[in-house]
Amino acid sequence: MRSVPVITIDGPTASGKGTVASRVAAHLGFALLDSGALYRLTALSALEAGVDLGNEAALAELAGRLDVRFEGERVLLSGREVSRDIRVETVGLAASKIATFPAVREALVVLQQGFRRAPGLVADGRDMGTVIFPDAPLKVFLTASVEARAARRYKQLIEKGFPANMDDLLRDLRERDARDTQRAVAPLKPAEGAHLLDTSNMGIEPAVKQVLEWYQSLSAR
């Protein structure tokens, strides 16, 4: 499996990594792994089953039993499309909290590594380059200012018909950043050798072009 190329795209919430990753994957014909969706799926499953979000063992068991498929932009949980359900802010907040549990993260490691298959994989998340695929030939750390990320998330939510408040979004993003960067297990940080890409004042297409150029440069060696 190590012969299968992987591009990891890590970064904080709403940095644009998901959109960049999906477009890079589509351009290259690679499989796509939205690792953040796995935590959201675990959170959704827990909320629907009434599992205590502080019960690490029960959450880890749920995570280990996830039946998930990604079909383009569609996310299916046990055959049911939940693409919209997992993007609700309450699910996102729950996902950020349960992602701090070592047992949950461990339960999802094998599942995530199983997405690595020919001809290649683009994996986006927070620890793809540091923990899940440390041998990836191309690692990208994509970021943006909290203000730019809040504005993107606000636009996203409004376009999808969800209510949104800019002050609440700014506060939530700052709290998530603090949790993600300060957690004891797999904290959010650039992987060793990662290319840094700040998209605060950059559109999606230039970001995709930059990642593809980095990958093509590696392939040409």
Side-chain angles (χ1 to χ4, degrees):
M1 294 302 293
R2 288 180 179 274
S3 64
V4 176
V6 177
I7 299 173
T8 63
I9 302 180
D10 290 314
T13 299
S15 57
K17 62 186 183 296
T19 304
V20 171
S22 65
R23 295 193 186 183
V24 169
H27 182 88
L28 296 173
F30 283 10
L32 175 67
L33 167 59
D34 177 356
S35 69
L38 300 181
Y39 291 95
R40 287 175 175 266
L41 286 163
T42 302
L44 177 65
S45 297
L47 291 169
E48 291 183 341
V51 174
D52 182 353
L53 295 180
N55 188 333
E56 182 173 355
L59 291 168
E61 183 181 356
L62 260 182
R65 292 189 284 106
L66 285 180
D67 175 14
V68 56
R69 297 201 317 274
F70 296 107
E71 295 182 352
E73 295 186 359
R74 300 174 70 226
V75 182
L76 291 92
L77 178 63
S78 299
R80 171 172 63 107
E81 183 171 2
V82 292
S83 310
R84 181 182 175 88
D85 299 336
I86 64 171
R87 298 301 168 188
V88 176
E89 283 298 291
T90 52
V91 174
L93 288 170
S96 183
K97 291 175 182 176
I98 68 174
T100 63
F101 291 131
V104 173
R105 304 193 72 83
E106 184 177 345
L108 291 175
V109 167
V110 174
L111 180 62
Q112 291 173 94
Q113 292 175 336
F115 279 84
R116 188 175 195 169
R117 55 184 178 270
L121 172 68
V122 180
D124 92 76
R126 289 171 176 74
D127 62 354
M128 295 297 96
T130 54
V131 176
I132 309 300
F133 302 107
D135 64 329
L138 176 60
K139 302 172 186 177
V140 177
F141 191 84
L142 194 149
T143 190
S145 69
V146 68
E147 291 80 12
R149 290 186 285 130
R152 289 172 188 168
R153 178 53 57 87
Y154 180 88
K155 182 181 178 183
Q156 246 178 18
L157 291 170
I158 294 300
E159 287 177 348
K160 292 180 179 179
F162 293 119
N165 176 280
M166 184 63 74
D167 289 337
D168 290 343
L169 289 172
L170 280 166
R171 184 180 64 255
D172 289 345
L173 285 175
R174 290 188 177 108
E175 290 175 353
R176 289 193 203 189
D177 287 351
R179 281 197 299 270
D180 291 340
T181 57
Q182 295 170 18
R183 67 190 180 213
V185 179
L188 172 66
K189 63 180 181 180
E192 183 177 352
H195 293 268
L196 302 182
L197 184 58
D198 189 329
T199 65
S200 298
N201 300 301
M202 180 184 290
I204 292 298
E205 289 308 321
V208 170
K209 181 180 178 182
Q210 179 62 79
V211 174
L212 288 171
E213 286 178 356
W214 282 331
Y215 182 70
Q216 289 158 3
S217 177
L218 284 175
S219 302
R221 291 181 183 176

